[in-house]
Each structure stands twice: as structure tokens, then as C-alpha cells.
Amino acid sequence: MPTAIAPSDKKEAPPVWKRMGLAAPEELLLWAPHGYLDFSTPHYAFPEANTGKRLFACLVNGHRMFDKDGFPTSSMRQARRLVISVKDHWGNAAEIPVFGNVWDWKDAIQQQELYLYAETDFFNKTLQIRKALTIDPSQLGSIVALYKGIPGRLKAQTVSGAIAENLTLLERAGKLLLQKCRLSLAEFDRLTGYQTPHALLLALHAPNSVREGEEALAITRELCVQSIVKAAQANKITRNVPASSIPIQDEEVAKLLSALPYTLTKDQQIAIQEITADLRSKRPMNRLLAGDVGTGKTLVFLIPLVAAHLAGARVAVMTANQLLVEQALRELAEYFPDVPTFQVKPGTKDLPNAILIGTTSVIGALARVKGTLDFVVTDEQHKFAVSQKQSLMDEHTNLLEATATAIPRTLAVVQFGGMDVSLLRECPVQKDIASRIVLSHEKDRLLDFIKKVAAAGRQTAIVYAAVNTGSEGKSIEDNAAKWLKHFPDQVAIAHGQMPAEEKQEALRQMRDKEKLILVSSTVIEVGITLPSLACLIVVNAERFGVAQLHQLRGRVSRHGGRGYFFLYLPQPVTDDEDDDAAYGKTAADRTMKRLQLLVDHSNGFDLAEKDAELRGLGDLSSTGSSQHGKTAFLFPNLKIHVHELKKALVVAGLEA
């Protein structure tokens, strides 16, 4: 049963703000509501049928329960349908029908009076109460802010409860807001009409009326837009630092390109020219290399890296995980065997004159040797915090941030960030990937299809949301055992909790076609190449974000040809993730719409635009310990429309 927002008494470990990826509890108050409900005055008569939702009180007369076969039962655990008989304070009768999980109504049927936010209609001449939110009596007389949760991770009720518990941090949150939007107190007052930031936050989260809340929300949205414009202007300002110049010769770049076994796309060639021109200039490079999955971004940054190293510069790549480190080392050894490379590991105390490649271990190694870098690449830059990237930087350091994950935040940086961008849209190979949603009743057909793929000597990967929470609560090993029954001696396993050598061995078996089936966690999400992978199945796809699903799809048919991508839903998507039911929307509706985006769009940038239309542009703020971009987007969940930003940038004289 969906319920309205009430402060949570549950002690979270870890706390909710950490589970949301925030750096401190006051950042919770920068999680904006998306609307408000007025619980100030309940009605004591049922609303007329089909006139929308109202807050009203009703008296419980009794209830009836039925099992899955439709027979009466007294056991709530066996019940699959519950009918609660109620009447209003004028004696009018109605019923509340509940289907499926009736356990959440256990306390409600014991009460004498219920407060509901619901709508009514008629069924078989009986007045019925639909889409009911139960209201805690403590909320009567208040204005309740509605928040979105994080699909698959946190319910809206959990988020709203955490925000209510941390309203005492309004002043600290206000100082953070002022810092993030880079405004003086006087400028903030002039722009917003609020004398202090914490006064705006109070009106946002605990307004005295719906109108006050909606006005605060509109001001907050405008504040976000203006902050993005201000940051874009700041990013346009550059300075001369002669030590940043790396004397890369065009002849050396041409020599490196000629060593490749194939010709690069036009996009790749242009991007390399843009990067090398930046490296030669006397202004430190600050560039984003953004490409759709499969457009070959790795070679685009490896060529300038090698050229810079040969020109005497100290260079490094920081990747998102160890598997990408190993893959970059393999590619460098394959294409440029005479160029020295060095894998930076945790505890490394000496850094030779070579191309340095590692995960965040690069940060610690540089600190230990008190070294600096002339050129650094952060691969899949959205995986790193601003503080991590800044720790690699000296005044003269050239930075290239690379990503093949076209999330709405990346799209916004590309369009509105005011930073230099190199775009890769062309795919070096022709591939055709069919994507579709598969429901539980189709699982046998899906299995038959995988068997046909295997019979043709092609490979399939089955990806689970987490190591220990696969379908039906099973671990990845448990699920792998089930696949082994269908494909004896043909199943490899890879997940993040395995020793690195075992993961590498599993991927080697797939690359060498010793195995046909890979059962995996999301460890293969970013950048991993399995040349013969023709099919990928994401189990419990509703737990994944759009960008993550698109990245997983990018593992299919890496060398071209026909491929298949299945979004498998072992159970029906439920409506209990969010409180948007108050607006006639449900979590299930939004989830299915989100998954349908993957079916309808294969281009990552198109997908990011559609994703932005659904959920906004994401967190673009420039402070904090979690991942942030180059522009100041103050409220990470606030939906900002592209047309608003374009209009503001035009007014400011910046290109959109």
C-alpha cells in the first residue's frame, strides 16, 4: 500500500545520505521536492466519483479476505485480495479493494478511523476508493512535500523521512548552497528575494502553503539555471601557463596512426587533432572526450598519450576499475609494443618514465613520490569525484576527461558546460542490435533463444544487479549453477568480489571462446571487449539506470554484426518505489517507460536527451565528494528542461 510521507523512525546503517551518494547529511536538503499535497483540512464526506483525489476521513466497518483461488480466508499471509468496508461521517458506504500484497494494510484494518488521500469511482453500483494513500493523523493540518526516491535503491518515503529528520541542518545546508552557487549573500537576496539561503530551503521543504512551496520550487529552478550560466562563463576564462605546453609533432602523430591495423573514423581523427592542439598550446587543456559506446574513445586518448610521452611529458591514465587497467595495457602492448607502460598498484612507491596506468592508486602513488603530471586522462570520468581528479592536477597539468556513458549530466556538460568538448558519434564498425523487454512468462522462449545462439558458436552474457541479490534472492554463483544445467562446462563467472586473477581468467576464457556463457555482475559494464559476445541479458533490468543499461548493451557485437539485448523482468514491476501515485503516476509506469527508451533508441546521445526529459539533467555541481561535473547544478534531482538552459545561455551571450 503506498503511503504518504511521514518522518521515519528507522535508524539506517549506513545513513540514507550515504546511500544516496552524498558527502554530508546537509546535502539531503539540496534534494528538491517535485510537488506538494495539502493536508490542512480533511473532508468528512466521500468525494464525488471521478472528481480527483481528496483528503478525507472514514470509519472502518470490517473487512473480507480471499486467497489466490478466490476462497474466503482469515490468514493475511494467504490472502491475495482484501476488501475493507468503510463509511464516511454522514453514513455513506464504500469499499477499499486491495489486490496482491495485502499485508501492508494489517494495521489499517485494526483502526476505527482512517485518513485517506484518494479518489472514488463506482464498480457494480458500489462506491470504491482507489489509489489510496493512508495519512498519519500527525500530518493533518500540514503541507507535505513529495520527493522522488532512487529506483531500485531507495523508496521516496525513505528519502522524505531522512529529509524531515535533518531539517535542523538548514543553516549548514544554506551555507553549502551559497558556496555551490558562487553568490554573495546580497546577490542571493537580489536574485531570489530570500534574505538567506536557509530561508529558501525552509520554504522548499516545509512551506506554510502549497503556493509558498511552489514559488520556492520555481525560484530554486531559476537559481539552478543561472548557476549553470555563471559556471559556463567561468569555464570560458583561460590563462597562459607556458609549462603546460607539450611539443607534440604532427609527424609523430601520423607515425602512430600508421601503426594501427585500421583507419580511424573522421570523428576520431578530428578529436585527436583537437586534443594534440590543446596539448601544444600554452593554456592547460580542460577537455571532455564524449563518445557513444563503441565509437572508439580509448584509441583517441591513447594516441595523444603516447605522443606526449615520446615528447618527454609525464603522462597517466586513471580508469574506473582494474579490468579497464588490464585492457588499456593490452591495447598499448598490441599497437605500440616499444612504448613503455607501468601499472600503478596500491602501495606503489616508485614511478618510472613510462605511461602510468591505474585506478585511484595513481593518486596515492603521486602523493608518495611528490610527483606531478603534464597530461592526465580520467577514463569514464563520471566515476570519479572532483576531489580525486583535482588531486592529480598541478597548475600546468593538462586534463582530458573521457566518457562513453551518455548520461543526462554528460549531455548537459556537452551542451551547456562552457568547456571544450570532442564528440565521437561515428561507430568504426556496422552493427545491428535488437533490444526488447522480456517478461517472466517468456523465460522459456528466452532460454531456447540462448541455446540457438550457443549452437551457432556465439556467446551470451547474463548480468545480475548485484553479487548476492540475483533473481529470487540468489547469488551469482547460485544462478550460475542453474545455467550450468543447461550449458554444461560452458559457463564462466565474473563479479567484483572475486580475486582479480579469477576475473581475468573468466574474461580470457570468453575472449578465447573456451566458454559460451558468462554469468556476471556489472563488472563488465564499462569498456570491456568480448569480441564474440552476440547476446546480453540483464536480469531485473528495472534495478538499472538508462545509462548503465546502454553501457551494458555496448558490450554486444563489438566487432560488428547482428546482436541481441534483452531486459528481463523475472517479476512484475511494483508500484511501491515512490509516492508519485499521489499524482496519478506510478513507479511501475515510470520504470516501464524508462526501459522502453532502450528499446526505442540505440544512439547514446538520443537516449540521454530522452532520459533528461524524464528525470532532468542530473547533478552538475562543482563541489562535493561524489561525482560532479564542471557546471554548478545545485539540486541533483531537480528537473531542468533543455529549452530553459538554451534560452538563458543565449541571453548571457554564450553558445548553447
Side-chain angles (χ1 to χ4, degrees):
M1 172 188 64
T3 58
I5 299 162
S8 171
D9 295 327
K10 186 178 179 181
K11 301 297 182 181
E12 297 287 347
V16 173
W17 58 269
K18 282 191 175 181
R19 292 163 62 193
M20 294 170 69
L22 303 178
E26 58 265 29
E27 287 193 22
L28 279 166
L29 302 182
L30 302 187
W31 192 266
H34 63 87
Y36 302 89
L37 294 179
D38 187 349
F39 290 164
S40 56
T41 307
H43 297 273
Y44 289 90
F46 292 136
E48 292 185 19
N50 302 313
T51 57
K53 291 201 166 188
R54 299 286 190 279
L55 173 67
F56 58 87
C58 60
L59 305 172
V60 178
N61 273 345
H63 66 276
R64 309 185 306 278
M65 294 188 295
F66 305 88
D67 64 19
K68 62 183 179 61
D69 297 316
F71 294 108
T73 180
S74 59
S75 169
M76 290 205 78
R77 295 189 181 279
Q78 295 180 3
R80 294 297 177 267
R81 181 165 65 95
L82 168 67
V83 179
I84 305 173
S85 299
V86 294
K87 63 180 180 179
D88 65 17
H89 284 253
W90 297 94
N92 300 306
E95 292 182 343
I96 306 174
V98 181
F99 299 92
N101 180 16
V102 304
W103 186 259
D104 288 340
W105 288 85
K106 176 173 62 70
D107 294 333
I109 61 177
Q110 305 300 324
Q111 297 179 31
Q112 292 183 337
E113 185 175 42
L114 291 178
Y115 290 93
L116 302 175
Y117 185 77
E119 62 186 39
T120 61
D121 64 11
F122 279 99
F123 180 75
N124 287 340
K125 299 182 179 181
T126 299
L127 188 67
Q128 295 202 329
I129 297 172
R130 305 279 190 181
K131 299 179 181 178
L133 296 168
T134 59
I135 310 303
D136 191 289
S138 65
Q139 292 180 291
L140 297 178
S142 66
I143 306 300
V144 176
L146 291 172
Y147 301 88
K148 290 185 182 295
I150 302 176
R153 289 170 53 194
L154 287 170
K155 294 182 180 181
Q157 187 176 356
T158 303
V159 172
S160 61
I163 290 171
E165 290 171 355
N166 286 279
L167 284 177
T168 55
L169 303 178
L170 275 170
E171 290 202 21
R172 281 166 55 181
K175 291 178 181 178
L176 175 63
L177 175 58
L178 205 61
Q179 174 191 350
K180 286 170 71 99
C181 64
R182 306 174 190 178
L183 294 172
S184 68
L185 205 56
E187 288 173 323
F188 186 89
D189 184 359
R190 186 169 59 253
L191 183 62
T192 67
Y194 283 86
Q195 291 185 340
T196 62
H198 67 262
L200 172 62
L201 293 175
L202 180 62
L204 195 66
H205 295 292
N208 293 314
S209 67
V210 170
R211 180 177 179 179
E212 182 184 42
E214 290 177 344
E215 288 177 351
L217 194 55
I219 290 170
T220 299
R221 186 175 288 107
E222 177 62 21
L223 186 64
C224 286
V225 171
Q226 293 304 318
S227 296
I228 292 172
V229 171
K230 189 171 183 177
Q233 290 171 325
N235 283 335
K236 288 292 186 183
I237 301 173
T238 57
R239 69 196 188 287
N240 280 338
V241 182
S244 71
S245 178
I246 301 173
I248 295 174
Q249 302 299 317
D250 287 336
E251 295 78 11
E252 187 65 60
V253 175
K255 182 179 176 182
L256 294 172
L257 290 173
S258 67
L260 300 176
Y262 46 81
T263 303
L264 298 185
T265 66
K266 185 177 180 180
D267 281 354
Q268 288 175 306
Q269 295 175 38
I270 292 173
I272 290 172
Q273 292 170 5
E274 292 171 338
I275 294 166
T276 52
D278 278 1
L279 293 173
R280 281 192 289 261
S281 79
K282 293 181 180 180
R283 295 181 178 180
M285 177 171 64
N286 181 20
R287 180 173 289 272
L288 174 71
L289 172 62
D292 199 359
V293 290
T295 53
K297 72 172 174 59
T298 303
L299 267 179
V300 170
F301 68 70
L302 287 182
I303 295 288
L305 268 172
V306 173
H309 167 76
L310 294 175
R314 191 152 199 182
V315 302
V317 183
M318 186 167 72
T319 70
N321 59 54
Q322 187 60 31
L323 294 177
L324 288 178
V325 171
E326 300 285 348
Q327 186 161 285
L329 289 168
R330 281 197 306 272
E331 292 191 23
L332 282 167
E334 178 183 354
Y335 298 131
F336 313 111
D338 297 329
V339 175
T341 59
F342 180 77
Q343 181 177 350
V344 182
K345 299 179 179 180
T348 294
K349 296 180 180 179
D350 183 46
L351 297 176
N353 182 23
I355 295 178
L356 308 175
I357 303 177
T359 59
T360 51
S361 56
V362 174
I363 299 172
L366 277 176
R368 280 188 288 273
V369 303
K370 295 181 171 58
T372 62
L373 294 170
D374 301 311
F375 177 28
V376 60
V377 176
T378 57
D379 190 16
E380 291 306 321
Q381 54 84 30
H382 64 286
K383 298 284 188 179
F384 302 107
V386 162
S387 59
Q388 291 175 315
K389 287 181 278 192
Q390 287 177 340
S391 64
L392 298 171
M393 304 295 292
D394 197 44
E395 184 185 27
H396 75 285
T397 305
N398 294 280
L399 174 66
L400 178 66
E401 301 189 59
T403 182
T405 305
I407 55 178
R409 192 198 63 79
T410 301
L411 180 72
V413 172
V414 170
Q415 292 186 320
F416 314 116
M419 68 184 298
D420 296 320
V421 178
S422 294
L423 287 179
L424 304 178
R425 293 183 179 272
E426 298 175 85
C427 187
V429 297
Q430 294 294 319
K431 55 183 176 180
D432 177 22
I433 300 176
S435 303
R436 64 163 296 187
I437 298 169
V438 179
L439 304 180
S440 58
H441 68 272
E442 301 173 289
K443 64 180 180 180
D444 291 338
R445 290 179 59 194
L446 182 60
L447 177 60
D448 290 341
F449 183 82
I450 300 171
K451 289 179 178 179
K452 290 179 181 178
V453 171
R458 306 181 74 192
Q459 294 174 320
T460 296
I462 301 100
V463 177
Y464 291 88
V467 175
N468 294 315
T469 56
S471 64
E472 300 174 357
K474 303 292 185 181
S475 69
I476 283 183
E477 279 82 2
D478 291 335
N479 283 291
K482 293 192 300 183
W483 289 103
L484 270 168
K485 294 178 181 178
H486 299 287
F487 302 95
D489 300 321
Q490 288 297 320
V491 176
I493 304 175
H495 60 73
Q497 294 181 12
M498 295 171 62
E501 306 80 36
E502 293 182 18
K503 280 185 291 188
Q504 288 292 342
E505 175 61 15
L507 295 178
R508 184 203 64 76
Q509 290 175 335
M510 292 294 290
R511 282 194 298 270
D512 294 346
K513 297 190 71 173
E514 294 177 10
K515 305 287 186 182
L516 291 175
I517 306 293
L518 176 67
V519 178
S520 172
S521 68
T522 55
V523 71
I524 67 167
E525 171 194 343
V526 178
I528 301 300
T529 297
L530 300 173
S532 298
L533 191 67
C535 178
L536 190 142
I537 302 162
V538 182
V539 182
N540 291 116
E542 76 279 5
R543 301 181 186 177
F544 296 77
V546 168
Q548 193 174 26
L549 290 169
H550 185 58
Q551 272 283 6
L552 288 167
R553 177 166 58 184
R555 303 311 103 211
V556 178
S557 298
R558 295 287 286 184
H559 289 180
R562 180 71 165 170
Y564 306 91
F565 181 66
F566 298 109
L567 304 162
Y568 179 46
L569 306 177
Q571 300 90 22
V573 178
T574 60
D575 288 336
D576 60 356
E577 292 180 4
D578 216 317
D579 287 327
D580 268 9
Y583 286 133
K585 304 172 186 176
T586 68
D589 291 338
R590 290 192 312 281
T591 297
M592 296 306 293
K593 190 172 184 179
R594 175 164 52 87
L595 296 180
Q596 189 63 35
L597 288 179
L598 276 297
V599 177
D600 296 339
H601 302 279
S602 59
N603 179 281
F605 289 99
D606 293 343
L607 196 57
E609 287 191 11
K610 297 299 180 182
D611 194 14
E613 290 175 7
L614 286 181
R615 65 181 180 95
L617 292 171
D619 187 357
L620 308 178
S621 65
S622 58
T623 61
S625 63
S626 59
Q627 165 54 36
H628 300 295
K630 292 292 180 183
T631 57
F633 197 49
L634 310 177
F635 291 80
N637 65 321
L638 197 60
K639 186 173 180 179
I640 301 296
H641 291 287
V642 169
H643 67 83
E644 294 179 72
L645 284 175
K646 286 185 176 179
K647 182 178 178 180
L649 287 165
V650 169
V651 171
L654 296 168
E655 294 181 0

